[in-house]
């Protein structure tokens, strides 16, 4: 750490959205270190404000235990409404004594650290930082990094008050300008993807190694499916068993993230399929091998819930997606993204997911069409050098003005 450099702190909840939000913050921080001449530190928000972790735990419970997508939506929106009641629109400029007390640990942290810039990777965290900076009497600039534009439909996550808001898509800027944000303080930088940064969250060198390369030493020409289950529920287990019964001549890997029992249940009944793989964690070698082989295969396919980061990551590597809508309101825009750019298909119900799997595995050329579209989308929209340059151009004036 050089004491002469300006200091940027990136605050990210780790418990909101499993690892997705913190993964986005990790990627953003690394890009920022290369884009501006500053000392950049990434911090988890929960040790500073433990009640954020309590909300994150409730989000996880909602995601795991809701019996249907409709119930999941209802419960999630109920939590958002309770938080919005505690921190209503505009509280940033004139917090009440109760809100001031809840923010006291963040105020103390910012006073001690006194960063030149603080970045919130959830709109809500950025709003909390705006209020805390004011309460601390600091000149720290506040940046809101919008990792998922779907969150902007929730008042909890949108505000005109940060000094700078970075968004991935023009529609997100339009939404913020529509609630009074200064258009000069909202910058469209394009979407960031984690690329291989995901390995830091998915891999563990103590994980059990697989027996030989996935699908053999040479490309098999068979469809190659990665089924990624991150709080997805039993529908993905049923899907794997369905594929085992009807389409055993595929190369399939199932990843039940951080859930060995889920991976064990997925493997039940598939013992005869020696070329299939089941994991709760991967070694780095496995991670790179699976991504590389699915990317090079004309029939590579990722099956998961319809999350924005997962969709963009897959497109970056030229892998089409087959997804099931999650029922989470901030992910409702993702099917439109998938279908508009022909990146694959997002299904509203499990029955549709099963039918599409049967159709595509019976005629793999359907997957190849989406692969070509994903490659084109990545080349035109996911240029990460251009995104990094825009982020640097947007943040640098905040540092120069210090």
């Amino acid at each position: 750490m050089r004491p002469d450099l300006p200091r940027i702190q990136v605050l990210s909840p780790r418990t909101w959205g499993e690892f997705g939000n913190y993964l986005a913050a990790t990627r953003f921080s690394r890009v920022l270190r290369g884009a501006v001449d500053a000392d950049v530190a990434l911090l988890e928000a929960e040790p500073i404000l433990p009640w954020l972790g309590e909300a994150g735990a409730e989000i996880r419970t909602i995601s795991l235990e809701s019996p249907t997508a409709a119930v999941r939506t209802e419960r999630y929106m109920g939590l958002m409404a309770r938080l919005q009641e505690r921190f209503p629109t505009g509280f940033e400029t004139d917090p009440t004594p109760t809100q001031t007390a809840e923010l006291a640990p963040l105020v103390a942290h910012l006073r001690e650290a006194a960063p030149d810039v603080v970045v919130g990777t959830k709109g809500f965290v950025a709003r909390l930082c705006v209020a805390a900076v004011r309460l601390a009497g600091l000149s720290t600039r506040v940046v809101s990094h919008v990792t998922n534009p779907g969150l902007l439909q929730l008042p909890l996550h949108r505000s005109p008050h940060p000094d700078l808001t970075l968004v991935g898509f023009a529609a997100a800027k339009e939404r913020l300008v529509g609630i009074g944000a200064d258009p000069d303080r909202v910058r469209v930088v394009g979407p960031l993807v984690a690329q291989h940064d995901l390995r830091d969250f998915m891999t563990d060198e103590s994980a059990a190694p697989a027996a030989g390369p996935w699908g053999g030493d040479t490309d098999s020409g068979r469809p190659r499916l990665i089924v990624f289950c991150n709080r997805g529920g039993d529908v993905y287990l049923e899907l794997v068993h369905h594929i085992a019964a009807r389409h055993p001549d595929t190369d399939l890997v199932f990843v039940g993230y951080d859930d060995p029992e889920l991976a064990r249940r997925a493997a039940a009944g598939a013992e005869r399929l020696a070329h299939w793989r089941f994991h709760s964690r991967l070694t780095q070698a496995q991670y790179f091998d699976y991504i590389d082989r699915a990317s090079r295969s004309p029939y590579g396919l990722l099956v998961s819930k319809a999350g924005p980061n997962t969709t963009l990551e897959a497109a970056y590597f030229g892998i089409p997606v087959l997804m099931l809508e999650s029922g989470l309101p901030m992910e409702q825009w993702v099917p439109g993204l998938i279908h508009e750019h022909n990146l694959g298909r997002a299904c509203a119900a499990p029955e549709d997911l099963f039918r599409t799997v049967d159709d595509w595995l019976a005629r793999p050329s359907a997957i190849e069409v989406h692969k070509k579209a994903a490659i084109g989308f990545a080349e035109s929209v996911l240029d990460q050098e251009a995104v990094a340059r825009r982020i640097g151009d947007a943040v640098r004036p905040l540092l120069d003005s210090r």
Side-chain angles (χ1 to χ4, degrees):
M1 175 177 172
R2 282 173 45 192
D4 59 311
L5 286 179
R7 287 169 297 122
I8 300 175
Q9 287 196 346
V10 180
L11 297 185
S12 172
R14 188 155 193 152
T15 58
W16 290 42
E18 201 67 46
F19 60 70
N21 190 77
Y22 201 73
L23 169 63
T26 299
R27 176 63 178 152
F28 175 78
S29 299
R30 288 176 176 167
V31 167
L32 201 56
R33 290 186 188 105
V36 298
D37 193 19
D39 178 64
V40 180
L42 171 61
L43 302 177
E44 295 181 27
E46 286 87 347
I48 301 171
L49 293 174
W51 55 264
L52 282 175
E54 296 170 7
E58 186 171 347
I59 292 172
R60 178 180 175 83
T61 298
I62 290 168
S63 297
L64 285 173
E65 298 182 5
S66 298
T68 66
V71 171
R72 188 174 296 116
T73 298
E74 180 182 4
R75 291 175 177 174
Y76 183 86
M77 292 302 288
L79 171 60
M80 294 298 104
R82 294 197 303 275
L83 288 171
Q84 178 66 18
E85 186 176 359
R86 283 167 62 184
F87 298 96
T89 299
F91 95 94
E92 305 97 305
T93 61
D94 188 21
T96 67
T98 299
Q99 293 158 353
T100 299
E102 292 201 76
L103 289 173
L106 180 58
V107 173
H109 167 81
L110 291 175
R111 277 182 178 150
E112 179 178 359
D116 298 283
V117 172
V118 61
V119 182
T121 61
K122 284 281 190 191
F124 181 41
V125 174
R127 293 178 65 213
L128 298 176
C129 287
V130 169
V133 164
R134 290 172 183 255
L135 290 168
L138 298 172
S139 59
T140 298
R141 301 296 190 93
V142 178
V143 176
S144 177
H145 177 222
V146 180
T147 59
N148 177 1
L151 289 169
L152 294 179
Q153 68 176 299
L154 304 173
L156 187 72
H157 288 294
R158 60 179 188 247
S159 171
H161 299 297
D163 298 285
L164 174 67
T165 300
L166 303 175
V167 298
F169 299 95
K173 177 174 182 175
E174 293 171 6
R175 181 181 285 271
L176 287 169
V177 171
I179 65 161
D182 182 344
D184 292 335
R185 289 160 60 180
V186 182
R187 299 287 291 274
V188 181
V189 295
L192 272 180
V193 295
Q195 297 170 285
H196 284 307
D197 288 338
L198 184 58
R199 68 183 183 270
D200 296 337
F201 296 81
M202 289 291 297
T203 66
D204 181 347
E205 291 311 316
S206 65
W214 182 34
D217 291 317
T218 59
D219 286 336
S220 64
R222 298 188 294 259
R224 287 197 157 153
L225 276 65
I226 299 175
V227 180
F228 178 51
C229 190
N230 172 23
R231 300 185 300 179
D234 283 356
V235 64
Y236 296 98
L237 304 183
E238 296 167 8
L239 180 69
V240 168
H241 297 154
H242 176 89
I243 295 171
R246 298 195 180 194
H247 311 281
D249 191 25
T250 62
D251 292 333
L252 184 143
V253 57
F254 176 91
V255 182
Y257 173 72
D258 252 0
D259 193 337
E261 176 61 17
L262 185 67
R264 186 198 65 76
R265 291 172 60 204
E271 295 85 353
R272 61 190 173 84
L273 301 172
H275 55 295
W276 284 25
R277 303 281 186 265
F278 299 88
H279 302 279
S280 58
R281 280 275 178 169
L282 310 171
T283 66
Q284 287 202 17
Q286 290 165 353
Y287 169 79
F288 285 119
D289 182 59
Y290 292 146
I291 293 293
D292 180 61
R293 288 175 181 263
S295 178
R296 286 191 287 110
S297 169
Y299 312 128
L301 182 65
L302 175 70
V303 183
S304 180
K305 74 178 181 70
N309 291 330
T310 309
T311 300
L312 294 173
E313 298 299 326
Y316 180 82
F317 290 107
I319 303 172
V321 296
L322 177 57
M323 295 189 154
L324 182 64
E325 295 180 24
S326 68
L328 294 173
M330 68 284 198
E331 295 178 345
Q332 289 175 350
W333 68 282
V334 178
L337 174 73
I338 293 170
H339 299 150
E340 178 183 354
H341 297 283
N342 206 25
L343 303 177
R345 182 166 181 176
C347 302
E351 296 79 12
D352 190 18
L353 181 70
F354 282 54
R355 282 194 298 268
T356 305
V357 160
D358 286 339
D359 179 28
W360 286 7
L361 295 184
R363 51 180 193 95
S365 58
I367 301 173
E368 194 170 14
V369 171
H370 296 296
K371 179 178 182 64
K372 292 177 181 177
I375 292 171
F377 177 79
E379 291 174 347
S380 61
V381 178
L382 302 180
D383 181 343
Q384 296 300 279
E385 290 185 5
V387 174
R389 185 172 60 253
R390 295 184 200 112
I391 289 173
D393 291 344
V395 173
R396 205 171 293 113
L398 298 182
L399 302 176
D400 292 341
S401 67
R402 76 190 181 109

